[in-house]
Amino acid sequence: MHESLLTLLRCPFCGTRLSPVENHALTRHHGRIVSGVLGCECCAFPVVDSIPVLVADEASRAAIVALEDGRPDDARDLLLGLDAGRSAALRVLLGRPTPASYRELTAVLSPDAEGTYFVYRFSDPTFVMAEGVLRALGQNDALSASWLIDVCGGSGHLTRVLTHVQAASATPGPGTVLADVVFSKLWLASHLTAPACHPVCCDANHPLPFAGGVFSLAVLSDAFSYIWHKRLLAGELMRLTGPGGAVVMPHLHSALGWNYSAGMPLTPAAYAELFAALEPRLFRDADLLTALLDGDTVDLTAAVTPEAMGAENALTLVASADASLFRRYTVAPATAVSGALIVNPLYTVTRHERGSTLTLTFPTPEYADEFGGCRRYLPDTLEVAADLTAPIDPAALEHALGADYGGLRRRRVFIDAPRHYC
Ligand SMILES: [Zn+2]
């Protein structure tokens, strides 16, 4: 963790500041605390692989013991929740000369259906919609002028968007925090998905471990339904954002609609009531996605009342005292490459004389069922006049494809992914 983060961090229990314990477990490197122990007036918390873990449970206590014993790799494996076999597999991957990919690391760290889904996160319709909303709001430099935070941000796919939005701002703030309770997701984010982010391990069912008013934008996407202490968390998100800041919650499951793994959803009226102090506005996810796909537009004038939301499955809430945010935005398709340009991992690639054939291939029938909406922009099959079985040089591909290149980027056939993603 960068030491500047200490100005933001507060104990989730006693609310006091945290400072590093100056003992032999403390390792610093170029202004960062790589490992060690943070103390407040009530507790001690480990920092492992540069990630502060502001959770008081058995694993974090065991991690402190391992750190003070001089075994930082054991502390990491404890927090990653690895058994002996997976711990050995991780050490093999990390000891290899070629960097391990997100897909390989996920197979060790999170070998379940959720882990599989996240490999394909960058093109699923929920992500496309949420990314569009953040890129639209990011056009307001004031929203990037302080710290940003992605709460319950998992392995950092949307956090990556926030770090790019902040970097592109005329007045970029000090950084983007990724908060999540699952250490392995934060570890993946900081190693691969969003290397520019500041990961903080914390439980969103407790008070969030940050000072008030220090964030200009707080995002919580596709996770609020799984939180039991919703009233507490809504209050916390509003406490974190300063005057003129915004709370953005893409993809809230509605209790009046239908959702895969719905969690514990509320009605649209109940979501709005939780943020009443900021007069939140609600938008239909389906409308937001359609406007993006059809016209590169995010229309934040098209708010819908809770009553008019009807049986819509999912909605997006934007809450801010700054009324000027609620306007119509044009979100130009992304053309830059910040990581590595790859063929969308939902395609299988077959090489032939004239180029490559791409075939849309869903990883599981369940994935196809839940995210098949991506067929609106991902063609079932297509021919591309280039060899796509080797690493892609974006400039050479653009030259080879001419006018088609922009369209294929826009449709997410090609993705600007983190380096070493697949
Ligand atoms: Zn404390």
Side-chain angles (χ1 to χ4, degrees):
M1 58 175 281
H2 201 276
E3 296 213 33
S4 63
L5 204 58
L6 289 170
T7 60
L8 306 190
L9 295 181
R10 299 291 184 272
C11 171
F13 308 110
C14 71
T16 62
R17 287 171 184 267
L18 298 157
S19 52
V21 178
E22 301 284 344
N23 64 11
H24 61 276
L26 182 62
T27 308
R28 288 187 161 103
H29 184 67
H30 293 303
R32 299 174 71 83
I33 298 173
V34 178
S35 58
V37 179
L38 299 177
C40 61
E41 291 188 19
C42 80
C43 257
F45 302 99
V47 178
V48 174
D49 266 14
S50 231
I51 303 172
V53 180
L54 305 184
V55 175
D57 63 6
E58 213 170 297
S60 62
R61 282 187 286 274
I64 290 176
V65 171
L67 288 174
E68 293 185 338
D69 259 6
R71 296 179 285 113
D73 285 359
D74 288 350
R76 176 198 65 207
D77 290 0
L78 274 165
L79 292 172
L80 291 173
L82 301 180
D83 58 23
R86 286 161 64 211
S87 172
L90 179 64
R91 287 173 199 223
V92 168
L93 279 178
L94 297 181
R96 212 176 60 182
T98 45
S101 69
Y102 180 91
R103 192 195 283 272
E104 290 173 316
L105 289 167
T106 302
V108 173
L109 299 178
S110 176
D112 54 14
E114 195 195 44
T116 310
Y117 281 22
F118 279 103
V119 173
Y120 308 100
R121 184 66 170 154
F122 286 117
S123 64
D124 76 47
T126 306
F127 180 86
V128 170
M129 183 278 297
E131 180 192 38
V133 170
L134 295 187
R135 289 185 59 217
L137 285 167
Q139 294 173 26
N140 300 284
D141 285 334
L143 287 187
S144 290
S146 189
W147 288 88
L148 315 185
I149 186 166
D150 186 5
V151 179
C152 304
S155 54
H157 291 77
L158 216 48
T159 319
R160 180 177 177 83
V161 175
L162 285 177
T163 62
H164 291 168
V165 160
Q166 189 165 47
S169 163
T171 54
T176 297
V177 171
L178 165 60
D180 202 277
V181 72
V182 181
F183 182 84
S184 61
K185 293 182 178 178
L186 296 166
W187 192 88
L188 276 169
S190 61
H191 279 75
L192 255 150
T193 332
C197 83
H198 299 261
V200 175
C201 190
C202 59
D203 186 347
N205 277 298
H206 290 158
L208 295 174
F210 305 100
V214 293
F215 294 95
S216 42
L217 178 63
V219 176
L220 195 160
S221 177
D222 200 3
F224 198 56
S225 309
Y226 308 109
I227 296 290
W228 178 242
H229 291 273
K230 290 186 181 64
R231 191 174 74 168
L232 171 72
L233 181 53
E236 284 293 273
L237 292 171
M238 291 189 284
R239 178 181 70 81
L240 294 191
T241 46
V247 176
V248 182
M249 302 179 79
H251 199 65
L252 287 161
H253 295 165
S254 170
L256 304 180
W258 185 87
N259 285 278
Y260 282 90
S261 43
M264 303 167 283
L266 302 179
T267 59
Y271 287 127
E273 184 60 28
L274 285 174
F275 293 89
L278 284 178
E279 298 178 23
R281 305 189 200 191
L282 309 180
F283 304 87
R284 292 189 186 96
D285 278 11
D287 290 354
L288 289 169
L289 181 63
T290 296
L292 269 164
L293 296 179
D294 292 353
D296 297 326
T297 299
V298 173
D299 186 1
L300 295 189
T301 67
V304 172
T305 63
E307 300 71 37
M309 196 62 76
E312 195 70 26
N313 296 332
L315 55 137
T316 290
L317 177 150
V318 182
S320 175
D322 181 357
S324 74
L325 300 181
F326 298 96
R327 61 179 196 271
R328 212 176 148 87
Y329 298 84
T330 298
V331 181
T335 51
V337 178
S338 58
L341 192 70
I342 61 167
V343 176
N344 187 318
L346 286 171
Y347 284 101
T348 52
V349 181
T350 317
R351 175 91 171 100
H352 54 72
E353 261 176 24
R354 298 168 314 284
S356 307
T357 303
L358 306 190
T359 310
L360 189 64
T361 311
F362 292 119
T364 61
E366 292 76 22
Y367 185 94
D369 207 29
E370 182 166 0
F371 298 110
C374 65
R375 283 201 163 103
R376 284 175 75 180
Y377 40 94
L378 293 176
D380 283 341
T381 180
L382 75 160
E383 296 295 327
V384 180
D387 176 8
L388 299 176
T389 56
I392 296 172
D393 172 352
L397 185 68
E398 187 168 5
H399 184 256
L401 300 185
D404 290 344
Y405 175 80
L408 294 174
R409 284 290 309 270
R410 188 170 184 279
R411 299 187 73 171
R412 294 180 196 247
V413 171
F414 294 108
I415 288 179
D416 174 20
R419 283 182 229 285
H420 317 299
Y421 188 63
C422 282

